[in-house]
Amino acid sequence: MNERIAAPWIPTWIPATGHALRHAGIHFDAVRIRGDRAERVASELMSATDFEAGPIVQEATGERNMYFLLPPQTASGFRWPAGVRALTRGDRSLAYVGVPALTGVTWPLGWRSVPSEKVPFVDGELLGEVVGRVAGGAC
């Protein structure tokens, strides 16, 4: 069965197999958070949304970054604390984010939370609130 046909809501930026680099700011913006802080933010975000937080990509190696995917051109509208980085298009910079397929072998990337038709992106306002609580200050 071809999943692209069976589930037409799957965004075109998600590869059918493996993983692929996607240019931040085009299909989505990303907010990168590292390690234990990322896990705490993701857990709180999942709890606050009944486990429908929108797309969160996690790395299984290295610094174990998580990428919270927001609608394009929105991440720079927030003030993020030290150690939290908005990846978007602009300011003469380019950023790429690895995006895994929804199924199959995607190591070292995986989904902490998948996008859905109802929740195609992480809510930036809610993410800002959660990051502020975890970081000990407002975003």
Side-chain angles (χ1 to χ4, degrees):
M1 181 165 119
N2 185 331
E3 291 182 36
R4 293 268 180 209
I5 294 170
W9 61 265
I10 296 173
T12 57
W13 47 266
I14 296 179
T17 61
H19 49 77
L21 289 177
R22 299 293 186 234
H23 187 183
I26 302 293
H27 301 289
F28 54 80
D29 279 1
V31 174
R32 182 183 68 200
I33 307 174
R34 294 193 162 129
D36 292 337
R37 179 193 271 182
E39 185 56 44
R40 287 192 309 271
V41 168
S43 292
E44 284 195 31
L45 196 62
M46 295 290 285
S47 292
T49 61
D50 284 336
F51 297 91
E52 292 188 36
I56 305 170
V57 175
Q58 62 185 4
E59 296 176 339
T61 60
E63 295 180 347
R64 303 180 72 85
N65 293 321
M66 283 196 199
Y67 298 86
F68 299 79
L69 306 185
L70 280 59
Q73 304 298 307
T74 61
S76 60
F78 299 91
R79 290 187 55 204
W80 303 102
V84 176
R85 181 162 181 219
L87 303 172
T88 188
R89 184 177 182 183
D91 298 330
R92 294 185 216 140
S93 65
L94 297 175
Y96 293 87
V97 175
V99 176
L102 292 175
T103 60
V105 178
T106 63
W107 191 88
L109 300 175
W111 291 101
R112 178 68 165 80
S113 175
V114 297
S116 67
E117 186 173 18
K118 181 179 163 189
V119 187
F121 296 106
V122 171
D123 180 306
E125 293 283 337
L126 180 58
L127 179 62
E129 290 173 21
V130 172
V131 168
R133 280 196 307 272
V134 169
C139 279

